[in-house]
């Protein structure tokens, strides 16, 4: 665990970099990449559970998620055409 504590910032940047590459690559859905990234931060102890769950106390992420759902529905139904 000493290695993780000493290099926590480098490990966090590496995880974020890999997530960015996977977001650009678009091989996996964004939900999977984001969930795996959050899981990696939790598993390595970089973030604690309370910090991760506190995101849901803010309505902004839920609003952005709802906008993604609505825009996806509009594209799939052809309503934008």
């Amino acid at each position: 665990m000493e290695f993780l504590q000493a290099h926590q910032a480098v490990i966090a940047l590496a995880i974020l970099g890999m997530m960015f590459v996977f977001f650009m690559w678009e091989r996996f859905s964004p939900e999977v990449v984001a969930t795996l990234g959050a899981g990696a931060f939790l598993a390595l102890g970089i973030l604690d559970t309370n910090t991760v769950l506190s995101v849901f106390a803010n309505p902004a992420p839920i609003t952005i998620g709802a906008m993604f759902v609505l825009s996806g529905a509009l594209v799939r139904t052809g309503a934008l055409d």
Side-chain angles (χ1 to χ4, degrees):
M1 283 309 240
E2 285 182 32
F3 179 79
L4 286 177
Q5 291 176 349
H7 297 91
Q8 199 171 34
V10 174
I11 294 169
L13 286 174
I15 292 171
L16 288 174
M18 289 187 329
M19 287 175 63
F20 183 72
V21 168
F22 281 116
F23 281 135
M24 284 182 16
W25 191 24
E26 294 183 350
R27 176 140 186 169
F28 303 107
S29 68
E31 297 87 8
V32 172
V33 175
T35 303
L36 288 175
F41 280 118
L42 279 170
L44 294 173
I46 295 172
L47 292 176
D48 60 347
T49 307
N50 290 334
T51 304
V52 174
L53 293 178
S54 69
V55 171
F56 297 110
N58 186 347
I62 297 170
T63 304
I64 293 171
M67 287 174 46
F68 275 121
V69 170
L70 287 174
S71 64
L74 289 172
V75 169
R76 287 186 184 187
T77 60
L80 295 178
D81 294 330

